Amino acid sequence: MQDITDEEGDALDEYYSTHVPITDPAKGGVTTRQGFRMIALDRLSEDYLFTTAIAAHKTPTEIIGELIREKIAVSL
């Protein structure tokens, strides 16, 4: 995976400086103010997820949702 640029790093710094995640041990992860949960991924999964999202012009959340729905459809 390609390193981020200085501008992208500054944008992420600005975002997370104003949207500080709140930890909630009861939920087993880090919960942001909007109620979304962050999870840890291994490097291979992270690379696949972001590469696929960039190529498809979708968010990582959309890619994860599609993968889950695909897995559910196969199991039915």
Side-chain angles (χ1 to χ4, degrees):
M1 179 172 226
Q2 200 173 31
D3 291 334
I4 63 173
T5 65
D6 288 339
E7 292 80 20
E8 292 169 326
D10 290 342
L12 286 171
D13 179 53
E14 175 67 26
Y15 177 81
Y16 284 107
S17 293
T18 58
H19 298 86
V20 180
I22 302 168
T23 22
D24 187 352
K27 294 185 178 178
V30 176
T31 305
T32 66
R33 294 182 194 272
Q34 295 81 20
F36 295 103
R37 292 184 60 205
M38 296 189 317
I39 58 169
L41 297 173
D42 60 77
R43 185 62 186 224
L44 176 64
S45 299
E46 178 186 309
D47 288 348
Y48 175 82
L49 178 61
F50 285 104
T51 302
T52 303
I54 290 167
H57 302 287
K58 296 182 179 181
T59 66
T61 302
E62 290 172 317
I63 300 299
I64 291 170
E66 289 173 1
L67 290 169
I68 291 171
R69 284 188 287 285
E70 190 176 294
K71 183 87 172 173
I72 291 169
V74 168
S75 68
L76 295 178

